[in-house]
Amino acid sequence: MESVTKSNFRIAVLPGDGIGKEVVAASLHLLEALRSKVPGIRLALVPLEAGAALYRRTGTALSEETLATIDGCDAILLGAMGLPDVRLPDGRELVPQIDLRFHFELYAGIRPIRAIPGAPTPLADPRAKEIDFVIIRESTEGLFADLDGGKVTDDKQAQDTLIITREVSTKLFKTSFDLTAQRKLRGLPGRLVCIDKANVLTSMAFFRRIFDECARDYPDIDAGHEYVDAAALNFVRRPWEYDVVVTENMYGDILSDLAAGLIGGMGMAPSADLGDRMAVFQPCHGSAPDITGQGKANPVATFLSMAMMLDWLGQRDGMPAYADGAMAIQDAIDDAFRNGALRPVEMGGSDGTRAITDAVIRALRERHGATTKV
Ligand code: ATP
């Protein structure tokens, strides 16, 4: 690992469990190639251990010491955490990635759903190639707000609590409107849909009311609503019509897996969990124990999450090289998939982690040539 200089960003790297380790290793290979082609990207990587396997060994999934080290970093690159056979006494899986969201108050989960031209999608309609929308999932409240407060009474009744606060919802909606406005500047529709269940749940009616209040500050954005059940239907019937959607934590959890399926699978869907001062970048998928150690994991979601990290760091500190790096990753992925050249295992093909990583690095080198200054 390189030493930290003043202009370096410190990145906490948490590969975690299962295929998390495999896709993060692949991403660090890509990062090395990127740094030799796009000048001005200076990252100090801080490797850290956390996750279910660590819990099995030590009794702690995410130590105080690790949290303190992360506190001194600028961002977190995470693989995946959790293993089905490592559970708490009440049967729940360990979820240190959710603990990180609470600890750093990472309320806005940004999940871009963009069809990569050249990659297969399960939808027959040719418009599926145009899918390009973003799900913004609230990530600290909703039904996940009180994970340790759920209870079973006398083995007769179980209860979890759904919490929506004005403070977090307002920040979430502001982030959502700002992101929609940024996309509109890039020629995208500038349409934001709040997905809820305001017709049934008091908490969701409150969520929608705050959304409508925020919308008044953004008259140029086309703001609308949809119930979550209708959204699930429309995601499959006409996903190409969405631009940005914002939703509660649990609905976002479910809808983002559905949306990942539309663009080929979990290995294609990146994410960023943003707070006011820290952010976690990780693929939407979990540790996938069914394919761990077989070289089948698709690393594209992690590549794209890393690109989102570069973009976020660059925007935060006004450093254009980082946006260039992010774009170079996306372009290299598009090039590598062009004309059906790659078919990942999760899409029924035979290209695994190694083949996809090699193809993306090759595409990056081809596009940026040998002459780019370092
Ligand atoms: P979590 O609840 O932690 O998000 P999960 O139980 O929803 O995880 P995943 O680990 O995301 O499940 O796996 C769901 C399915 O998708 C599995 O069949 C897995 O093999 C597949 N999958 C997930 N990620 C990838 C990937 N990067 N490449 C290929 N297949 C993947």
Side-chain angles (χ1 to χ4, degrees):
M1 297 288 161
E2 72 187 71
S3 65
V4 181
T5 67
K6 200 166 166 248
S7 57
N8 278 347
F9 288 115
R10 285 172 64 93
I11 308 300
V13 179
L14 284 86
D17 298 306
I19 63 163
K21 287 190 169 59
E22 301 166 28
V23 292
V24 166
S27 300
L28 297 185
H29 279 308
L30 174 61
L31 181 63
E32 267 321 300
L34 179 76
R35 289 202 288 194
S36 71
K37 291 292 170 197
V38 179
I41 293 176
R42 298 195 182 84
L43 305 177
L45 305 176
V46 183
L48 294 166
E49 207 182 346
L54 181 69
Y55 177 86
R56 185 160 47 199
R57 241 184 31 249
T58 66
T60 308
L62 180 64
S63 71
E64 288 298 323
E65 197 188 344
T66 300
L67 275 176
T69 307
I70 296 173
D71 238 335
C73 293
D74 295 285
I76 303 165
L77 180 66
L78 194 150
M81 288 181 188
L83 292 170
D85 57 333
V86 183
R87 289 180 185 260
L88 297 167
D90 65 3
R92 288 178 300 147
E93 270 188 47
L94 286 135
V95 282
Q97 69 278 29
I98 295 180
D99 298 339
L100 279 173
R101 291 177 200 154
F102 289 127
H103 182 85
F104 291 107
E105 298 179 14
L106 309 176
Y107 52 88
I110 314 288
R111 290 154 175 235
I113 300 295
R114 171 181 165 271
I116 291 175
T121 79
L123 299 182
D125 193 307
R127 286 173 294 180
K129 297 276 174 213
E130 294 159 22
I131 294 173
D132 180 359
F133 68 99
V134 179
I135 299 173
I136 304 182
R137 165 191 176 185
E138 198 292 313
S139 299
T140 56
E141 301 195 326
L143 262 177
F144 289 54
D146 188 26
L147 288 184
D148 292 328
K151 61 179 182 196
V152 179
T153 308
D154 297 335
D155 210 23
K156 290 194 175 132
Q157 178 180 309
Q159 177 181 322
D160 287 302
T161 306
L162 195 164
I163 296 172
I164 298 292
T165 67
R166 174 173 286 280
E167 186 193 350
V168 168
S169 302
T170 303
K171 289 201 290 187
L172 174 80
F173 294 139
K174 190 173 166 4
T175 303
S176 308
F177 278 105
D178 287 343
L179 189 139
T180 310
Q182 278 173 23
R183 281 170 63 91
K184 191 172 181 184
L185 284 176
R186 289 181 14 227
L188 290 153
R191 192 166 48 241
L192 176 64
V193 177
C194 176
I195 295 179
D196 56 45
K197 194 73 186 167
N199 51 337
V200 175
L201 296 173
T202 305
S203 54
M204 289 290 94
F206 181 57
F207 190 68
R208 181 181 284 208
R209 180 148 56 86
I210 300 167
F211 176 82
D212 289 343
E213 288 168 14
C214 290
R216 290 187 208 126
D217 294 333
Y218 294 87
D220 295 340
I221 300 298
D222 173 8
H225 318 103
E226 236 172 78
Y227 297 131
V228 64
D229 41 349
L233 175 72
N234 293 331
F235 268 28
V236 177
R237 288 211 311 188
R238 44 180 182 81
W240 42 86
E241 288 182 12
Y242 287 96
D243 184 12
V244 183
V245 305
V246 57
T247 190
E248 178 275 332
N249 203 341
M250 177 83 145
Y251 301 156
D253 187 26
I254 297 167
L255 288 176
S256 43
D257 274 28
L258 190 165
L262 299 174
I263 54 167
M266 295 306 296
M268 303 298 272
S271 83
D273 290 313
L274 308 182
D276 292 334
R277 68 176 184 91
M278 177 60 83
V280 173
F281 298 86
Q282 66 173 118
C284 284
H285 61 74
S287 61
D290 54 332
I291 57 165
T292 299
Q294 299 169 34
K296 292 179 179 169
N298 180 359
V300 166
T302 319
F303 295 168
L304 290 170
S305 304
M306 194 167 69
M308 291 174 80
M309 180 180 82
L310 295 178
D311 214 28
W312 182 77
L313 289 168
Q315 274 191 34
R316 204 188 63 174
D317 286 24
M319 298 170 79
Y322 287 75
D324 293 346
M327 191 44 76
I329 292 176
Q330 184 170 309
D331 286 343
I333 293 169
D334 285 2
D335 286 352
F337 275 86
R338 206 172 300 286
N339 300 324
L342 280 175
R343 199 174 177 101
V345 176
E346 68 175 335
M347 299 178 195
S350 59
D351 292 314
T353 318
R354 182 71 195 264
I356 297 170
T357 307
D358 287 351
V360 173
I361 290 176
R362 207 163 41 243
L364 180 92
R365 291 190 172 133
E366 274 166 21
R367 199 178 252 266
H368 290 268
T371 52
T372 314
K373 280 184 289 176
V374 180

